[in-house]
């Protein structure tokens, strides 16, 4: 099983609060090990959002990098 599928499977049955807590904790840990999971989440968002949302994400990134 590849990394994408493992990450998706491990979060398959979590509720919105558990997902938010997991993301927040991953960011707070400041640990490079969690970056692949966050990248998978970002990929899911990117592939499933409108062009308007993509532009908002891009603006946020450009203005904060």
């Amino acid at each position: 099983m590849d990394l994408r599928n493992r990450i998706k499977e491990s979060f398959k049955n979590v509720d919105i609060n558990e997902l938010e807590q997991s993301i927040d904790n991953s960011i707070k840990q400041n640990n490079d090990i969690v970056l692949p999971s966050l990248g998978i989440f970002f990929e899911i968002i990117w592939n499933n959002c409108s062009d308007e949302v993509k532009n908002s994400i891009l603006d946020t990134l450009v203005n904060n990098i």
Side-chain angles (χ1 to χ4, degrees), residues 1-12 19 22-23 26-27 32-49 57:
M1 184 180 276
D2 67 36
L3 183 60
R4 277 181 183 82
N5 287 335
R6 279 190 295 193
I7 290 169
K8 288 178 183 179
E9 275 297 313
S10 66
F11 286 93
K12 192 172 190 173
L19 184 57
S22 180
I23 292 169
S26 295
I27 292 169
D32 290 347
I33 292 172
V34 300
L35 289 177
S37 295
L38 296 175
I40 303 294
F41 292 161
F42 182 78
E43 179 182 53
I44 292 167
I45 292 166
W46 190 261
N47 288 334
N48 293 285
C49 67
I57 291 169

Side-chain angles (χ1 to χ4, degrees), residues 13-28:
N13 295 314
V14 298
D15 65 30
I16 194 166
N17 293 322
E18 291 171 313
L19 184 57
E20 180 181 19
Q21 184 177 26
S22 180
I23 292 169
D24 285 341
N25 288 339
S26 295
I27 292 169
K28 287 175 187 172

